[in-house]
Amino acid sequence: MVNYGGDEVSALVVDMGSSSVRAGYAGDDTPKAIVSSYYGYRPTAGDSDVQMGDTAGESNPEAPKPRSDAKLYLGQHGPSIWRAGMEIGHPFRDGLMSDFNPIPALISHALVDSANRERMAEIMFEEFQVPAFYIANTGVLNAFAAGKGSALVVDVGHSMASITPVVDGFVLRKGLVYSALPKLVHAHAKHILANPTPVRRGIELYPHQLIATKISRGLLVSLRYTRIGSPEPRIAGGHGMKTAEVDEWIQSVASVLDQGWNEQAAASRPPRQYEFPTGYNMYFGAERFQVGEQFFHHSPQLVAQNPNLPKNIPALLSESLRACDPDLRQVLMGNVVLTGGGSLFAGFADRLETELSRNIPHVKIHAPGNPMERRYGGWLGGSILASLGTFHQLWISREEWQEYGKAIVGQRCK
Amino acid sequence: MALSASDIRSALSLPQSTPAPAHHRKTHPSTTKKPDGISRELYSLIGPSAPSLAAHLAKPRLRQKPNLGGGGTVKWEHRPFGNSARSDTLQLFHWVKLSDPIGDYPFAKYNVQPQSYTYSQDEYSRLLEDSEWTKEETDYLFSIVQEYDLRWYVIHDRYNFPDGPIRAIEDLKDRYYSVCRKLIRNRPCAGDESSRSQLLNSYQFDKEREKMRKNYVASLEDRTPEEIAEEEALFVELKRLEQNERKFRKERDDLLRTLLGADSGLPDIVVEEDGPAALSIEGIRKKKKGGPDFDLPPTPSNIIQLGPPVSKRPPPPKSAVYDAQHCIVRVDPPAGSSNTTKVTHVPAHLRSFKLPVPKATIAPKVAQALAELGITYSRLVMPTRDNCSQLESLLDATTALIETKKIVDRVEQDIRVLKARLGIRESESADRDPKESTPMDVDESKQDRDGEGEGRAQSVIRGRKQLCRSISVSSIDTSASLPTRTGTKRQKRG
């Protein structure tokens, strides 16, 4: 046991992302539960008090019972099932576990500011009565998942791209940079799909749930489909059903060229077919490469149009490196860890390598080939950390929480 | 095999001649002896006669399972444990073997705190006053250093003293280490002076040097691709120059050896290709030995520094006496060579290793000549100094003998050739008459056409004459070319 330093205390590891919450026991290699971070709710006029529902209760939402109060739809089948009048919300909030004793919880969090972390600790100790608690940075955990103590973690998530320099398991806060780049890519993809082009008209992005019948007649033929439910589901916080459709399209069709934008190269790649829920069927050629280009290069006119455009990956990288010590830069560039579900974008790792090696001589990118490891790297690192014997002295115990209060969070979780 | 009559009878289904009980009595013991792993039917067919076959047919036994952990099941227990590395009484649960003793948490020993220095107000005011640092900021620095276990990059990242100036990582390190040094120097030390200076050395920090180094590192990163390419080209050029330098040195040594012969003192060993690293080390060693030597023109390379010749340094008299006492003979370093390179160095050796050897070109001849005299020179039974010198003189004499023999042979050959040429001259003068009457040939051909029978006999005679003439011509040719050829040979030998 001591040989590999592991000592499992069945700690609970929760990794919260903007698209999904991952939870499981420390020592496992994959999370036990992957739950959508979105939740559905039906607003009611009077009562805004929200009843927490657990996953088990919501696992059969196929026949939603009529409810008088506002009802949360959580979990795997919560927000992804269409219900009349349901809105989709997105809090950072967990209502999944009720009995934590005697399970300590490790929460992985991208947030650095202490107020949020203290609030999280408060929720865990006061509401869920956990015996011990620790909060770790996602970037650090990603580095641990890659087996590195010092690394430059390039994390491309669902809505945020971040670059975190990690040294000896500590985040260098001055070098930590964020941008909402994936959102921009998403918006770009949506723009491409929704706007008509010379060869096709704009595509209607209705989810499967809204399509009652459809007759697909092959490519570019006028479609016939009927929708159920007259009003479009309202979209809260910029997320909704259309988002899922665009995401689906990005995941299956969109790609990025590995050697930089080049019209000929894009045209020479084979086009890829995609059928939308409406039955609209289309081959996507060069368009699908334009989408990924947003990660690495912004066209000058786009920059001119919106001044506060999220920074692209090379800009983020150089900004992060500039904030680091010159001695560290070489070390960090030799340990680039690519992680996050967004980095599974086709061709992303190759392109990143090309971009980096263009400017920096010795670059080594660690990008796990296993998609599970890439998507749940933060959780995996937490699982590794919380199962280490030497880690157990770092927990904030309930006793300490009661003695020192909120200050202990900042002191312990450096 | 005991094949009884009854067996044969039963096999051939003949009526039993003997009573049945006898048969029973016979088969009964065989069935009891049936080995394991073979069916009863098969055994009754092959009988006890094929034990080897039965052994083969025995039930295959699986490899024995490894017996891990002294038998029986291991009981595990979900046991609460405390951690002595913690200041509180947090109880966590883990699974341990029931047999494991309840002791201290095994991972608690990894909680190692680095040694840290603290100072009192008095010490601060006496020793540690600094115009750039306030006491509060120094306190803060020491607390944060302690908190982050001397991880300077992290310390610099988190360093945030309110209303303090922006500090570079070198400033922080410099302040911390200088305070530590002062404290070590002015406190009574438990150990002796050497351990204190060792401790001081471990807290050494040169701020200016670190800053300069960091600037260099930063400037390395700011290079454009063109500059990097240029740098690489320059590096390749440097390598090439170094190689040229080595080649030049080798050629110069060769030239010296050719010009001065044995006097040059350069050994006949081919100079091995030294790596640049070896050369530079050598250069450093030579630099330590002394200034440059003026006997030889200095080489353009700064790597090759010519040290003073060792031979010019007379051996100390004490050592001479000592040598004589202990029969130590020092080999004079090659005279005239002031170039103390690795190849010219003569290490201590066994005398028998340096036995004189005839030149490779004439070695077989020497061996042959000595064999004729009944001497084997390749092995000295007792290679004393006298014997060695005698062997050397013997070899020298033999070599001289062989050289002389060669010259004699050559002279004899020349004489023979010249004699032959003389003979040809004489024969030529005899042939001169028919040679001059070449038009006769035409006449003869005419005669050929005239008379066939007689012409044949004549043609035979004429053929002989022509043959003879052709020989003489060829001999003249060779005699003309021969002296020149021997001449070239001589040149080569000389």
Side-chain angles (χ1 to χ4, degrees):
Chain A
M1 284 277 233
V2 183
N3 287 340
Y4 60 93
D7 185 17
E8 297 185 8
V9 297
S10 9
L12 183 75
V13 179
V14 183
D15 177 24
M16 280 181 264
S18 54
S19 96
S20 66
V21 174
R22 282 78 73 171
Y25 289 104
D28 287 1
D29 56 354
T30 41
K32 281 262 187 287
I34 298 155
V35 184
S36 173
S37 293
Y38 302 111
Y39 67 93
Y41 64 99
R42 259 183 244 167
T44 48
D47 198 0
S48 63
D49 187 22
V50 164
Q51 296 280 325
M52 285 279 199
D54 62 352
T55 27
E58 283 306 313
S59 59
N60 52 352
E62 282 79 14
K65 285 164 271 178
R67 279 156 209 270
S68 57
D69 282 346
K71 173 67 192 140
L72 286 180
Y73 297 95
L74 293 171
Q76 208 74 282
H77 305 287
S80 57
I81 306 294
W82 183 83
R83 299 173 185 85
M86 183 180 80
E87 287 210 18
I88 290 170
H90 178 245
F92 267 129
R93 132 167 262 171
D94 54 320
L96 306 174
M97 291 278 181
S98 50
D99 179 23
F100 279 92
N101 214 14
I103 301 166
L106 180 134
I107 305 280
S108 156
H109 218 285
L111 300 170
V112 195
D113 60 313
S114 52
N116 260 313
R117 302 198 305 179
E118 282 162 9
R119 173 81 184 120
M120 179 70 74
E122 199 180 331
I123 293 173
M124 294 310 281
F125 279 118
E126 307 298 337
E127 204 158 318
F128 296 109
Q129 305 288 323
V130 294
F133 168 81
Y134 191 80
I135 187 160
N137 183 281
T138 312
V140 174
L141 295 185
N142 271 308
F144 287 166
K148 293 171 193 296
S150 301
L152 187 70
V153 180
V154 180
D155 187 347
V156 186
H158 179 260
S159 60
M160 289 299 251
S162 71
I163 292 179
T164 320
V166 178
V167 175
D168 287 344
F170 290 95
V171 177
L172 294 188
R173 290 184 188 155
K174 284 171 186 157
L176 182 62
V177 284
Y178 281 102
S179 92
L181 192 59
K183 278 185 186 161
L184 175 80
V185 173
H186 184 94
H188 188 80
K190 194 170 173 184
H191 177 80
I192 286 179
L193 292 178
N195 284 18
T197 65
V199 291
R200 60 164 166 82
R201 59 204 173 81
I203 299 165
E204 290 155 301
L205 298 165
Y206 293 112
H208 281 289
Q209 294 94 319
L210 292 183
I211 308 296
T213 58
K214 65 176 172 184
I215 304 155
S216 184
R217 293 186 183 164
L219 289 171
L220 295 173
V221 182
S222 63
L223 300 164
R224 199 167 300 161
Y225 64 89
T226 53
R227 289 200 282 127
I228 48 171
S230 47
E232 221 175 291
R234 274 183 288 165
I235 288 156
H239 295 288
M241 295 296 194
K242 278 186 181 178
T243 316
E245 283 316 306
V246 175
D247 276 342
E248 195 105 321
W249 181 80
I250 288 175
Q251 280 162 25
S252 48
V253 174
S255 182
V256 65
L257 291 170
D258 54 358
Q259 295 294 332
W261 180 248
N262 182 346
E263 288 280 350
Q264 277 128 23
S268 68
R269 296 293 190 86
R272 210 174 269 184
Q273 193 205 11
Y274 188 77
E275 186 180 314
F276 289 91
T278 54
Y280 186 83
N281 211 326
M282 171 80 189
Y283 276 100
F284 292 93
E287 279 173 305
R288 71 192 182 98
F289 293 104
Q290 278 171 14
V291 179
E293 204 60 28
Q294 298 301 320
F295 276 119
F296 296 97
H297 179 72
H298 293 154
S299 63
Q301 65 257 37
L302 189 70
V303 177
Q305 274 167 17
N306 17 351
N308 47 1
L309 202 66
K311 287 183 183 123
N312 55 22
I313 298 279
L316 285 174
L317 268 170
S318 61
E319 189 186 332
S320 176
L321 280 183
R322 225 178 303 122
C324 292
D325 198 85
D327 283 344
L328 271 178
R329 288 176 199 158
Q330 202 53 256
V331 178
L332 292 177
M333 289 321 284
N335 293 292
V336 178
V337 173
L338 181 63
T339 184
S343 72
L344 287 169
F345 195 91
F348 192 96
D350 293 338
R351 176 65 182 274
L352 183 68
E353 182 135 30
T354 317
E355 291 284 336
L356 288 182
S357 51
R358 198 174 288 161
N359 296 319
I360 300 146
H362 307 292
V363 177
K364 195 159 185 301
I365 296 181
H366 175 95
N370 180 356
M372 292 299 270
E373 262 176 58
R374 191 88 75 84
R375 291 177 68 181
Y376 310 127
W379 186 88
L380 185 61
S383 164
I384 293 169
L385 180 66
S387 62
L388 286 180
T390 44
F391 173 73
H392 299 319
Q393 74 176 72
L394 290 176
W395 292 109
I396 301 168
S397 67
R398 166 165 284 283
E399 193 183 325
E400 282 170 320
W401 171 255
Q402 279 157 359
E403 189 177 344
Y404 302 102
K406 286 179 177 176
I408 187 81
V409 178
Q411 255 177 52
R412 192 60 62 75
C413 313
K414 299 174 198 176
Chain B
M1 179 173 178
L3 197 76
S4 67
S6 66
D7 286 336
I8 296 166
R9 272 171 201 283
S10 66
L12 299 173
S13 44
L14 291 172
Q16 291 282 338
S17 63
T18 45
H23 182 73
H24 263 283
R25 189 187 43 85
K26 256 191 112 181
T27 49
H28 188 71
S30 66
T31 48
T32 53
K33 276 194 293 181
K34 183 182 89 70
D36 286 340
I38 178 165
S39 67
R40 189 174 49 80
E41 292 80 7
L42 181 62
Y43 183 71
S44 62
L45 275 175
I46 59 173
S49 59
S52 61
L53 191 60
H56 280 296
L57 287 167
K59 194 198 275 176
R61 287 172 68 189
L62 294 172
R63 200 151 55 98
Q64 202 167 13
K65 282 179 186 162
N67 187 11
L68 299 171
T73 50
V74 179
K75 285 247 177 357
W76 290 74
E77 187 191 19
H78 202 218
R79 190 186 284 170
F81 67 96
N83 191 339
S84 61
R86 297 186 64 93
S87 57
D88 62 349
T89 58
L90 176 69
Q91 290 253 316
L92 296 170
F93 289 82
H94 63 175
W95 285 98
V96 280
K97 278 182 199 164
L98 208 56
S99 57
D100 282 0
I102 302 170
D104 190 29
Y105 188 56
F107 293 100
K109 66 180 178 208
Y110 296 110
N111 184 28
V112 182
Q113 297 294 332
Q115 192 201 359
S116 65
Y117 283 91
T118 48
Y119 45 83
S120 61
Q121 176 66 48
D122 175 49
E123 272 179 319
Y124 188 86
S125 53
R126 257 197 311 126
L127 306 163
L128 308 172
E129 290 287 359
D130 193 300
S131 58
E132 298 224 341
W133 290 77
T134 60
K135 171 124 194 330
E136 288 71 35
E137 193 170 359
T138 313
D139 290 347
Y140 174 73
L141 173 71
F142 269 68
S143 71
I144 198 172
V145 165
Q146 172 76 4
E147 191 180 346
Y148 290 107
D149 295 342
L150 290 167
R151 291 184 180 90
W152 285 106
Y153 298 120
V154 184
I155 291 164
H156 178 238
D157 185 65
R158 306 289 162 89
Y159 191 86
N160 182 23
F161 186 69
D163 305 326
I166 296 166
R167 307 274 188 193
I169 189 166
E170 287 83 13
D171 296 334
L172 301 178
K173 278 187 180 180
D174 185 47
R175 178 65 180 159
Y176 179 78
Y177 286 127
S178 66
V179 166
C180 287
R181 278 201 306 273
K182 278 175 190 159
L183 288 176
I184 293 169
R185 228 174 270 140
N186 290 287
R187 274 181 186 175
C189 184
D192 55 346
E193 203 53 40
S194 69
S195 69
R196 175 186 286 208
S197 64
Q198 209 175 347
L199 197 62
L200 271 177
N201 272 339
S202 65
Y203 283 97
Q204 211 57 253
F205 184 76
D206 189 347
K207 185 173 158 190
E208 292 311 314
R209 196 166 144 262
E210 279 296 301
K211 276 193 168 168
M212 199 163 74
R213 189 186 63 82
K214 198 151 282 184
N215 284 341
Y216 278 136
V217 171
S219 69
L220 267 181
E221 275 172 20
D222 291 341
R223 291 176 304 172
T224 60
E226 292 79 35
E227 283 171 332
I228 292 172
E230 193 188 338
E231 218 162 85
E232 262 170 26
L234 282 174
F235 186 70
V236 169
E237 180 77 1
L238 176 71
K239 283 267 167 220
R240 206 174 57 79
L241 281 176
E242 271 177 9
Q243 209 171 359
N244 278 355
E245 178 57 41
R246 276 206 300 281
K247 212 168 114 191
F248 166 76
R249 201 165 61 97
K250 199 177 143 203
E251 276 171 5
R252 193 199 58 190
D253 282 1
D254 281 348
L255 192 67
L256 275 177
R257 212 175 289 139
T258 325
L259 286 178
L260 304 174
D263 293 341
S264 72
L266 293 166
D268 286 333
I269 309 155
V270 181
V271 181
E272 63 194 81
E273 284 291 319
D274 285 329
L279 269 181
S280 59
I281 289 162
E282 213 176 297
I284 290 159
R285 221 188 316 138
K286 263 175 242 149
K287 265 182 206 162
K288 279 182 189 162
K289 271 184 186 170
D293 187 84
F294 301 105
D295 287 357
L296 284 165
T299 50
S301 160
N302 59 351
I303 289 170
I304 299 159
Q305 286 259 347
L306 300 171
V310 190
S311 60
K312 282 175 187 170
R313 197 170 29 175
K318 188 189 157 198
S319 77
V321 174
Y322 180 84
D323 287 357
Q325 206 172 3
H326 291 85
C327 304
I328 292 170
V329 178
R330 292 190 187 275
V331 181
D332 285 340
S337 104
S338 47
N339 194 358
T340 47
T341 54
K342 200 158 82 185
V343 286
T344 56
H345 175 66
V346 185
H349 56 269
L350 284 180
R351 199 179 285 123
S352 55
F353 280 18
K354 293 266 175 172
L355 285 182
V357 179
K359 268 190 209 163
T361 48
I362 55 163
K365 282 179 183 170
V366 171
Q368 202 183 346
L370 290 174
E372 277 173 29
L373 296 169
I375 300 167
T376 51
Y377 74 99
S378 58
R379 191 174 141 270
L380 272 183
V381 178
M382 194 65 75
T384 60
R385 195 171 166 74
D386 291 344
N387 282 351
C388 277
S389 60
Q390 284 209 356
L391 177 68
E392 199 173 349
S393 62
L394 169 69
L395 283 177
D396 280 350
T398 319
T399 313
L401 177 70
I402 284 161
E403 290 290 327
T404 320
K405 174 78 169 34
K406 251 191 196 165
I407 291 163
V408 169
D409 284 352
R410 203 188 304 147
V411 170
E412 274 180 357
Q413 171 72 12
D414 284 356
I415 289 169
R416 223 178 297 135
V417 168
L418 288 173
K419 269 185 182 167
R421 209 189 296 165
L422 191 66
I424 290 156
R425 283 263 168 83
E426 280 167 0
S427 65
E428 261 180 17
S429 59
D431 280 352
R432 190 148 295 170
D433 295 342
K435 214 179 182 182
E436 280 170 358
S437 59
T438 33
M440 261 178 69
D441 285 3
V442 182
D443 298 344
E444 275 174 2
S445 63
K446 275 178 192 167
Q447 280 171 1
D448 269 5
R449 255 177 255 145
D450 293 342
E452 295 274 68
E454 198 203 6
R456 185 172 294 264
Q458 270 189 340
S459 73
V460 171
I461 297 159
R462 192 195 59 210
R464 253 179 218 153
K465 272 179 194 165
Q466 274 180 341
L467 195 69
C468 182
R469 206 186 303 156
S470 73
I471 286 168
S472 70
V473 167
S474 71
S475 71
I476 285 164
D477 279 352
T478 49
S479 65
S481 66
L482 208 61
T484 59
R485 222 181 274 159
T486 49
T488 54
K489 260 184 201 165
R490 242 170 241 150
Q491 272 174 3
K492 265 184 195 165
R493 270 168 199 147

